[in-house]
Amino acid sequence: MTKTHTVTVAQRPLVLSWAGVTDVGRRRETNQDAFFAEYPLFIVADGMGGHAGGEIASRSTVTRLEALVADGTVGRGSIEGALALAVGDIADHPETTDEGTGTTLTGVFLEFDDGDPHWVALNIGDSRVYLLRDDRLVQVTTDHSVVQELIESGKISPEEAEGHPYSNVITRAVGASELTAPDYVSLDVRPGDRFVICSDGLTKELTDYGIQHFLRENADPGSAVDAMLAAALENGGRDNVTLVVLQVADEQSSTTDAGAE
């Protein structure tokens, strides 16, 4: 189901609309992913760890961040404080005995600076934020993974990364004993922008071209997430699949679009 919220940028009303979905996939017994999508914070977490560890890690992290929205205190400092609390929650939980327990975290939030908002993408691990702007899809976040480090050092090509034996090994996570702050990327707020926030269960099954295709074919975020999930499952569904689609429109054009449906 698509939700909406109106914000004013440079005295111009813009409508944010979004939808999210998560699915266990076709190979896993449990869903270790979690997501939260409520203005002004839109996040996806992909847990890892034996037994119920990954599920506890992702859920603990998302719950701590949800509380910031309830308190109206979403910002870089408060997010890092919430993540520190989540690390404690994960360590203290009786079912997280595995040292490899943790979770990725990625997403975007709206940050206000002198009254006007801008987006901030945040990332820990290999879940991703994509942005479709001017009909061009770009990956906003950079994976914290062994494979990404090999690509950056020139040891393997992006094509060789696809089936690499270390493709699942990440170098940063929430839940490791020492929390590192997320990477942040600031972006202006523009009508027409569309974000895809997703776990690697989506990107294992859909190429960037495939993601762009389903965005083009589905103007409504709810339809877009359903179409991408269906395609990921059809392509194998080897992992849990979680994604949020968030888009920005002029108030006038979004009213017109709604009337035309």
Side-chain angles (χ1 to χ4, degrees):
M1 188 180 80
T2 299
K3 298 182 178 180
T4 61
H5 184 91
T6 302
V7 295
T8 301
V9 181
Q11 301 179 325
R12 177 185 190 181
L14 298 175
V15 176
L16 309 181
S17 55
W18 66 89
V21 68
T22 186
D23 192 278
V24 69
R26 295 211 163 146
R27 306 270 185 92
R28 302 291 174 92
E29 291 182 6
T30 59
N31 191 349
Q32 298 197 335
D33 287 2
F35 77 95
F36 177 74
E38 291 294 342
Y39 175 83
L41 179 66
F42 308 86
I43 51 169
V44 166
D46 178 356
M48 71 211 84
H51 190 42
E55 194 175 344
I56 292 160
S58 61
R59 177 38 55 196
S60 300
T61 300
V62 166
T63 299
R64 286 293 187 180
L65 292 168
E66 274 183 50
L68 302 183
V69 174
D71 294 342
T73 56
V74 176
R76 300 183 199 207
S78 62
I79 285 171
E80 289 171 27
L83 294 180
L85 292 172
V87 169
D89 295 341
I90 295 162
D92 293 343
H93 199 287
E95 291 185 78
T96 53
T97 52
D98 181 357
E99 281 190 11
T101 297
T103 183
T104 70
L105 175 70
T106 197
V108 297
F109 63 95
L110 213 53
E111 183 176 66
F112 287 81
D113 191 10
D114 296 328
D116 259 344
H118 59 265
W119 295 112
V120 179
L122 68 149
N123 185 53
I124 295 175
D126 64 352
S127 296
R128 295 176 178 175
V129 173
Y130 289 91
L131 170 62
L132 182 68
R133 175 177 283 182
D134 300 328
D135 208 34
R136 180 168 169 258
L137 189 76
V138 294
Q139 184 180 327
V140 175
T141 54
T142 301
D143 294 352
H144 299 136
S145 66
V146 170
V147 163
Q148 183 62 34
E149 290 180 358
L150 291 171
I151 292 169
E152 288 174 1
S153 65
K155 290 178 179 168
I156 64 171
S157 69
E159 292 71 33
E160 288 172 317
E162 300 275 329
H164 198 279
Y166 290 162
S167 61
N168 285 338
V169 181
I170 63 171
T171 53
R172 281 165 67 179
V174 181
S177 52
E178 189 177 330
L179 177 69
T180 51
D183 286 344
Y184 298 107
V185 179
S186 294
L187 300 153
D188 56 333
V189 180
R190 279 199 210 172
D193 279 356
R194 305 180 76 189
F195 290 97
V196 176
I197 303 155
C198 61
S199 64
D200 68 345
L202 183 76
T203 51
K204 281 175 184 172
E205 311 298 358
L206 281 187
T207 62
D208 290 7
Y209 178 81
I211 292 170
Q212 184 164 335
H213 165 77
F214 287 110
L215 287 175
R216 282 176 176 162
E217 293 293 310
N218 296 276
D220 174 68
S223 301
V225 297
D226 289 346
M228 281 190 252
L229 173 61
L233 295 176
E234 192 176 315
N235 289 347
R238 290 168 287 175
D239 199 351
N240 309 145
V241 183
T242 304
L243 70 146
V244 174
V245 170
L246 165 67
Q247 57 199 47
V248 186
D250 275 313
E251 189 175 46
Q252 188 62 41
S253 66
S254 84
T255 307
T256 307
D257 292 345
E261 287 174 1

